Amino acid sequence: DHYKTIPSYAHTDKETIDSFIEAGASFSEAELSPLNRSGDEEGCRFENGNVYTPKGFKEAYKQYCELGFPSLCADEEFGGQGMPLSLGSAVSEMVGTANWSFSMYPGLSEGAIRTLEHHGTDEQKQKYLLKLVSGEWTGTMCLTEAHAGSDLGITRSKAEPNEDGSYAITGQKIFISAGEHDMADNIVHIVLARLPGAPAGTKGISLFIVPKFNVNEDGSIGERNTVTCGSIEHKMGIKASATAVLNFDKAKGYLIGPENKGLNCMFTFMNTARIGTAIQGLTAAELAFQGGLSYAKDRLAMRALSGAKAPEQVADPIIVHPAVRNMVLTCKAFAEGGRALVYYLSQFSDVVTKGEGESQAYADQMLSFLTPIAKAFLTETGYEAANHGVQVYGGHGFIREWGMEQCIRDLRISQIYEGTNGVQSQDLIGRKTIKCGGAFIAEYIAEIRDEVNQLGSDLNFIKDATLDAATEVESITQYILEQSKENADYSNGVAVDYLHAVGLLSFAYMFAKIAAAAKDKSGDFYQNKLALAQ
């Protein structure tokens, strides 16, 4: 029904959706999941400036491209299939749950594609998009530098104009996911750098395309550009994803968008990446739930306090113990609440991408407001769920062969990259709340109340809880607005807790939607939704 409201997506019917989801599920289960532990054990190999991915990754990526996943949501004009971003999110979740390291390679390309679609010239689109959309080439985002971290305003990389209209890019970028690898013919780097005489701070940053191999006029690959991989990082997790240090030595680059507006253009990329990182939190909760549930059904230990539940066995399966059920259901609640929130955001993404008029403007505002909440809150709840997953396994959770400790290690970076969760919290409380006098959160709460107040008395359990949470967040917001007038530093001190409060409200709202959709339907699937909402 959502797709029918957007003419460009009206062709997306249930059969189409199911076919992509089934293909994504089959590929993730059969090809990617078996590579998850082996990729973690082997990691990436760095030799003489070249990066080699673990065994099986190159072949899996080729199959990923043959199945058409890189082109799923790209514009048809450049070889894409024109499907909604919300459908892409469903595929991304399954791919990421099966093997997050693998998902990093095509995941960064999606942001590069979005950036070129929105800000590239016709010539740039023709030169780069066709190969990025097909998956023959991959993309990166090259933002941070060793001295800068999240403070992009102190970026030092420079761009000197060349006589042919291109630019010579010089500098070093660190923490570049998929910055160098052996799975694609070319890598298109999207790079922040400063033009000569540019203003200081974020107002003086421009954005450039810098390909690993220069591209000839006919679209073929030319000589190697002067961008090289200096090393790859030795990391806590996502070891099969290459995190590169890239050195640019007067590498040929091309300006994207207006001069000194690079950060504005880059937000197209960053918001796409932040939704992708929110999905990572969701995948960890889902993986912890699946693993924890399976193990808890099989593992025998002690008897239920209310009497033996499996008297024919030497002990009861640990799923009968309330403390274990609590942990498993918490993982499930975080996964399903997170999934609903991701798809809620993704629907706004669809409208922003192909909608029109007032609905597009509203969707853009809501997407901007909700993105930091989803990125930070879902990665925090995902990490809590991953810890529960280890705990359910007990000592075996600490052992590598069971996969739960890898879930924690792979996820831990998600609270740091794409803007740390502290930075996301400051964005929410500063730019998205204090700066507008609380207007965005007020509109969000008004929407929540309008929808939740329509629920019948049979759903009072979630209706009342959600309305209470809305009132509490409203009160907290007013208090923060008042305190910030007296002390400018106050907001940063409470920013993380404020984001968590809005995140919990958002989960309540999502479960109110879930409960409303499930209450009149029969069968265990829907009854379990209601039980989980409670």
Side-chain angles (χ1 to χ4, degrees):
D1 291 342
H2 158 69
Y3 297 143
K4 289 175 185 175
T5 67
I6 306 171
S8 296
Y9 296 145
H11 63 285
T12 312
D13 56 20
K14 186 178 185 301
E15 289 71 24
T16 302
I17 295 166
D18 285 350
S19 67
F20 280 113
I21 290 177
E22 287 166 7
S26 177
F27 173 71
S28 299
E29 184 174 342
E31 304 299 330
L32 295 185
S33 189
L35 297 175
N36 195 38
R37 185 184 168 204
S38 63
D40 179 63
E41 297 278 356
E42 183 181 345
C44 291
R45 179 166 48 93
F46 178 72
E47 290 181 3
N48 302 318
N50 297 311
V51 175
Y52 302 93
T53 51
K55 184 180 179 180
F57 269 56
K58 195 171 182 178
E59 293 77 12
Y61 182 72
K62 182 180 179 183
Q63 187 174 345
Y64 180 86
C65 295
E66 289 171 349
L67 288 167
F69 292 131
S71 65
L72 185 61
C73 301
D75 283 346
E76 293 173 274
E77 181 183 356
F78 301 103
Q81 300 177 65
M83 292 293 158
L85 292 174
S86 50
L87 179 55
S89 294
V91 174
S92 294
E93 183 200 333
M94 290 185 286
V95 168
T97 307
N99 193 322
W100 188 261
S101 285
F102 177 91
S103 75
M104 294 287 289
Y105 294 96
L108 273 296
S109 297
E110 290 176 22
I113 290 168
R114 297 284 93 74
T115 302
L116 282 163
E117 284 178 343
H118 283 79
H119 305 292
T121 65
D122 289 341
E123 182 184 358
Q124 288 169 348
K125 290 176 183 178
Q126 291 296 333
K127 183 174 280 191
Y128 298 104
L129 273 181
L130 288 169
K131 296 293 179 69
L132 282 169
V133 165
S134 69
E136 293 171 73
W137 300 352
T138 60
T140 72
M141 53 195 298
C142 299
L143 309 185
T144 198
E145 300 172 6
H147 67 283
S150 296
D151 188 358
L152 298 177
I154 56 176
T155 294
R156 293 176 186 161
S157 294
K158 59 184 182 180
E160 299 282 345
N162 293 323
E163 290 183 2
D164 63 359
S166 65
Y167 295 82
I169 312 297
T170 301
Q172 186 184 77
K173 297 290 184 178
I174 66 167
F175 300 154
I176 309 306
S177 299
E180 178 62 34
H181 58 81
D182 60 351
M183 300 201 306
D185 297 333
N186 202 1
I187 302 174
V188 180
H189 303 294
I190 307 295
V191 185
L192 286 180
R194 291 187 180 282
L195 291 166
T202 56
K203 294 181 179 179
I205 302 176
S206 298
L207 193 61
F208 300 87
I209 303 168
V210 184
K212 173 182 174 180
F213 289 95
N214 289 310
V215 182
N216 297 321
E217 291 299 320
D218 62 0
S220 63
I221 291 178
E223 63 183 10
R224 177 73 184 255
N225 206 349
T226 50
V227 51
T228 57
C229 180
S231 63
I232 58 173
E233 305 294 351
H234 304 281
K235 300 172 297 187
M236 175 180 178
I238 54 170
K239 294 182 178 182
S241 168
T243 303
V245 174
L246 293 182
N247 298 314
F248 298 82
D249 183 10
K250 295 185 178 180
K252 184 167 281 192
Y254 305 88
L255 182 69
I256 307 178
E259 293 184 0
N260 302 325
K261 298 291 184 183
L263 210 55
N264 302 62
C265 297
M266 196 56 135
F267 271 115
T268 302
F269 202 143
M270 291 166 72
N271 282 333
T272 301
R274 284 169 180 169
I275 294 174
T277 307
I279 291 175
Q280 186 179 6
L282 157 58
T283 67
E286 177 64 28
L287 192 61
F289 166 65
Q290 289 188 21
L293 179 65
S294 175
Y295 186 80
K297 285 181 173 180
D298 291 339
R299 175 69 170 177
L300 303 179
M302 297 177 285
R303 293 293 186 187
L305 294 178
S306 55
K309 298 297 185 287
E312 73 285 0
Q313 304 273 13
V314 296
D316 287 334
I318 62 172
I319 193 69
V320 308
H321 304 311
V324 174
R325 287 205 304 277
N326 191 336
M327 289 188 287
V328 174
L329 281 170
T330 297
C331 295
K332 185 176 174 67
F334 285 160
E336 298 205 2
R339 181 173 299 114
L341 188 59
V342 162
Y343 294 157
Y344 180 64
L345 257 74
S346 296
Q347 286 183 297
F348 287 128
S349 292
D350 294 340
V351 178
V352 169
T353 305
K354 295 293 184 180
E356 298 174 353
E358 290 183 10
S359 63
Q360 188 181 45
Y362 178 72
D364 193 35
Q365 176 184 303
M366 288 298 291
L367 190 61
S368 175
F369 172 71
L370 289 167
T371 295
I373 299 166
K375 188 276 177 184
F377 192 64
L378 265 61
T379 55
E380 295 287 341
T381 53
Y383 191 68
E384 185 175 333
N387 273 306
H388 284 321
V390 168
Q391 195 70 23
V392 169
Y393 279 75
H396 294 289
F398 201 67
I399 306 302
R400 294 178 75 170
E401 68 191 76
W402 292 92
M404 284 295 104
E405 59 86 37
Q406 183 186 342
C407 182
I408 288 182
R409 288 188 291 104
D410 285 351
L411 176 68
R412 187 58 186 90
I413 185 61
S414 69
Q415 295 158 293
I416 298 170
Y417 60 18
E418 303 312 328
T420 67
N421 287 357
V423 169
Q424 301 297 331
S425 300
Q426 290 175 23
D427 179 38
L428 173 66
I429 205 168
R431 291 179 60 240
K432 310 290 172 60
T433 303
I434 294 172
K435 189 175 181 180
C436 65
F440 291 173
I441 187 71
E443 286 189 44
Y444 184 44
I445 288 174
E447 178 191 306
I448 292 171
R449 283 177 172 149
D450 286 346
E451 186 164 342
V452 172
N453 274 318
Q454 296 176 35
L455 299 180
S457 59
D458 53 341
L459 294 179
N460 276 348
F461 73 91
I462 191 72
K463 177 179 179 179
D464 293 345
T466 306
L467 293 175
D468 287 348
T471 299
E472 191 163 357
V473 169
E474 194 173 51
S475 175
I476 290 167
T477 303
Q478 289 305 311
Y479 182 79
I480 289 170
L481 291 172
E482 292 166 9
Q483 293 298 312
S484 297
K485 291 175 184 176
E486 300 177 16
N487 178 3
D489 286 332
Y490 176 79
S491 61
N492 277 4
V494 300
V496 171
D497 291 321
Y498 181 68
L499 186 142
H500 287 179
V502 182
L504 287 165
L505 168 62
S506 299
F507 268 29
Y509 181 34
M510 292 303 105
F511 274 106
K513 286 175 171 284
I514 288 168
K519 74 181 184 71
D520 294 327
K521 296 184 174 70
S522 59
D524 287 347
F525 178 84
Y526 295 104
Q527 292 308 306
N528 286 343
K529 299 288 185 188
L530 288 168
L532 190 64
Q534 288 180 312

